[in-house]
Amino acid sequence: MSIRGAVHIAGAYEHPGRHLPDLTVPQIHADVARGALADAGLSFSDVDAYYCAGDAPGFGGMSMADYLGLRCNEIDSTETGGSSYLVHIQHAAAAIAAGHANVALITLAGKPRTGGAAPGGSMRSSAPEGSFENLFGLNVVAGYALAAKRHMHEFGTTSEQLAEIKVAASTHAQHNPNAFLRDVVTVDEVLESPMIARPLHRLDSCVITDGGGAVVVVSDAVAATLERQTAKVLGTGVAIKHSTGGRPDLTFTGAAVSGPKAFAEAGVTPSDIDYASIYDSFTITVLITLEDLGFCKKGEGGQFVSNGGLLARGGKLPFNTDGGGLCNNHPANRGGMTKVIEAVRQLRGEAHAEVQVPDCKLVLAHGTGGTLATRMGSATVILGQEDA
Amino acid sequence: MTDQLPSPTPATTLETEPFWEAAADGRFVLPRCNACDEVIWYPRLFCPSCGSNDVSWFEASGNGTVYSFTVVERGQGGWREHSPYVLAYIELAEGPRMLTNVIDVDPDTVAIDMPVTVRFDAGKDGGNIVRFGPAS
């Protein structure tokens, strides 16, 4: 059974705040849930399935279903870090296609800026790998720097090429009034920013923001009753890539598996995609993911992103037109939800006019949770216009 | 600098105690699957290659090469004051790639494929951490 075309994203909402000292995490979950349901033309009483990840407080889905007053027949709290919400879309699609649910709500919220959470979250102390990784000073940036260094070694990728990714994100972010960083930066400014873990600079890194987002996934029957333009879910793919008993290959990500699965289900190829939201915890995350998804050959990511390759205007593949995690928003240190939301905006023609892709019919969103150096959860979602 | 990195007493479990007890004695041991001969990293009493739980320890050569590395210029928490330090994947002669530090070296001279050998680093906190340094 394929879920192709069986479900639709009917509502999408990104919290406008990036600094939220006066809201609790449950309040932010509730605000984005209300926003996404209102966007769809639905209400809390319509929701019969709920999805959340490790950012949800307390007992996760049970605590939040209680707080929100949801009556759920279906629940899932799959945790793959920042990609969780794309995994949830696949799970919601399967549940809806199987007849277990009609209206699935997926929420994300967190306060790493004002709530004191460690950047990137923290591993549970019970992790079996714990004393063989953190003991050596592995941190979030270093976990991506190790992959960047190996990619540079094998393929000649340069810091200038990585910086091009930040430049493109910042070029888009200038048009987003809610973006955390709105100044357009140059390649030189990225290279001159403080080095955090060689070869990654501060400006190779995503922002740390409070906030959240939500999407609503519905059945055919529900979609037919709504006035709002919906996005058809055409294909999904999920993969866990891990350290393989101590033989990690740092030159690829789980996108090399999740991408082809999503493309096969959707029945499309990378060259068909009009717009892509690519997970951008760091510039290197984008570059390797583009290769793994098949937008260019392995090792040619640096060349692909150069000369404005990712720009909405004149680029080969318009990406992260909201400014992405690199400039706009990385709520709760998890960028997957905002990737889906901007992809939906593009399909609806509701991105900022300066970055809207003309005649946008087919979009891709990709999430990467965890760390490139060790283990990650990768998830790809392909969406299309309803006549796709 | 890199010769005085944090070396807290590692948290051990029933599965990993033999690794750290050997390290305390100045021996570098690795787990190997008796069913498929796979050398396993990180240490566990389970083989993720074939699913066997028949695993035993053997003394490793202590030799390897740098697979990838980063010089962390801005460490977090207790590592901040020890920056810059070298975090690396060492490809052990026995096969696995192990996350560790490269010490006793100028960070600017570390390179991919550089030969390294094991060091038992008491560090500033008195633990006995398995790190690597340039092969002599």
Side-chain angles (χ1 to χ4, degrees):
Chain A
M1 184 181 81
S2 165
I3 57 89
R4 186 188 194 284
V7 303
H8 314 261
I9 296 182
Y13 180 78
E14 178 183 6
H15 200 291
R18 306 290 181 263
H19 181 82
L20 303 170
D22 300 325
L23 292 177
T24 68
V25 171
Q27 276 181 300
I28 303 170
H29 277 279
D31 282 351
V32 295
R34 188 188 304 105
L37 287 164
D39 182 51
L42 293 165
S43 65
F44 281 100
S45 61
D46 295 312
V47 174
D48 58 5
Y50 178 60
Y51 300 77
C52 61
D55 54 281
F59 218 126
M62 283 202 290
S63 291
M64 286 311 303
D66 186 343
Y67 182 96
L68 295 168
L70 301 175
R71 287 177 292 279
C72 301
N73 308 317
E74 183 72 26
I75 192 165
D76 178 33
S77 304
T78 296
E79 167 66 330
T80 59
S83 62
S84 301
Y85 321 93
L86 291 97
V87 179
H88 295 162
I89 289 174
Q90 184 192 63
H91 293 183
I96 290 168
H100 297 311
N102 287 296
V103 176
L105 170 67
I106 309 172
T107 66
L108 154 76
K111 299 179 49 166
R113 276 210 86 72
T114 61
S122 56
M123 188 160 58
R124 293 176 197 168
S125 60
S126 57
E129 66 274 17
S131 63
F132 298 97
E133 294 178 2
N134 295 352
L135 196 62
F136 303 107
L138 174 65
N139 59 39
V140 176
V141 190
Y144 288 78
L146 286 163
K149 181 69 185 178
R150 185 70 198 184
H151 201 278
M152 289 176 164
H153 175 77
E154 291 202 25
F155 305 115
T157 306
T158 67
S159 290
E160 287 78 4
Q161 291 170 335
L162 292 178
E164 291 261 13
I165 296 166
K166 176 75 167 193
V167 170
S170 74
T171 302
H172 299 156
Q174 67 178 313
H175 304 296
N176 181 350
N178 294 327
F180 187 76
L181 301 175
R182 292 190 66 189
D183 292 338
V184 179
V185 299
T186 64
V187 167
D188 284 345
E189 284 172 322
V190 176
L191 301 185
E192 287 162 11
S193 68
M195 187 67 83
I196 307 297
R198 299 185 206 170
L200 298 180
H201 308 78
R202 176 172 290 158
L203 292 186
D204 285 298
S205 314
C206 63
V207 299
I208 295 175
T209 47
D210 296 347
V215 295
V216 179
V217 183
V218 302
S219 63
D220 268 335
V222 172
T225 68
L226 301 175
E227 292 178 7
R228 186 78 161 109
Q229 180 182 350
T230 57
K232 190 187 281 186
V233 178
L234 298 175
T236 63
V238 170
I240 302 298
K241 183 198 172 217
H242 52 61
S243 60
T244 329
R247 278 86 175 159
D249 180 337
L250 300 187
T251 62
F252 72 94
T253 71
V257 175
S258 69
K261 283 181 179 293
F263 280 115
E265 188 168 53
V268 301
T269 66
S271 62
D272 297 323
I273 299 294
D274 298 310
Y275 164 82
S277 284
I278 305 292
Y279 202 91
D280 56 348
S281 45
F282 297 90
T283 52
I284 185 64
T285 321
V286 176
L287 189 140
I288 300 183
T289 302
L290 288 168
E291 297 173 349
D292 292 340
L293 292 175
F295 289 109
C296 60
K297 288 181 186 164
K298 178 52 63 184
E300 295 182 1
Q303 197 180 323
F304 186 81
V305 304
S306 293
N307 303 311
L310 299 178
L311 288 174
R313 292 286 172 265
K316 295 190 271 289
L317 179 70
F319 107 121
N320 298 11
T321 41
D322 60 338
L326 288 169
C327 295
N328 169 32
N329 196 10
H330 200 67
N333 298 318
R334 292 157 174 263
M337 179 65 80
T338 46
K339 298 295 165 290
V340 177
I341 293 170
E342 182 67 3
V344 171
R345 286 192 194 107
Q346 280 286 351
L347 265 189
R348 286 172 163 171
E350 295 178 356
H352 190 281
E354 293 295 327
V355 295
Q356 175 65 48
V357 175
D359 199 24
C360 186
K361 290 185 171 166
L362 199 61
V363 301
L364 176 147
H366 181 82
T368 310
T371 302
L372 295 193
T374 57
R375 58 202 62 78
M376 71 193 79
S378 297
T380 311
V381 172
I382 296 172
L383 308 172
Q385 297 280 4
E386 286 299 341
D387 58 3
Chain B
M1 283 297 290
T2 57
D3 56 344
Q4 284 292 301
L5 295 179
S7 301
T9 303
T12 64
T13 70
L14 291 173
E15 291 185 80
T16 62
E17 256 171 14
F19 178 85
W20 292 113
E21 283 176 358
D25 292 342
R27 292 182 302 116
F28 178 44
V29 298
L30 292 170
R32 178 162 50 208
C33 174
N34 292 323
C36 75
D37 283 337
E38 180 90 344
V39 179
I40 300 160
W41 189 260
Y42 59 90
R44 72 201 86 169
L45 297 184
F46 178 82
C47 175
S49 182
C50 78
S52 169
N53 62 0
D54 183 7
V55 173
S56 54
W57 299 90
F58 71 100
E59 193 144 344
S61 68
N63 298 323
T65 57
V66 174
Y67 169 70
S68 192
F69 72 100
T70 176
V71 180
V72 181
E73 302 275 5
R74 299 191 177 212
Q76 295 173 359
W79 289 81
R80 186 180 301 266
E81 64 189 275
H82 299 285
S83 306
Y85 61 92
V86 180
L87 177 73
Y89 261 117
I90 301 304
E91 184 165 308
L92 303 173
E94 291 78 9
R97 292 169 181 161
M98 173 186 176
L99 202 61
T100 182
N101 303 115
V102 180
I103 58 171
D104 303 335
V105 68
D106 175 352
D108 290 338
T109 65
V110 177
I112 286 177
D113 295 334
M114 184 175 108
V116 292
T117 55
V118 71
R119 302 280 199 280
F120 298 97
D121 184 16
K124 75 178 180 65
D125 300 326
N128 214 2
I129 305 299
V130 178
R131 294 184 163 116
F132 285 73
S136 50

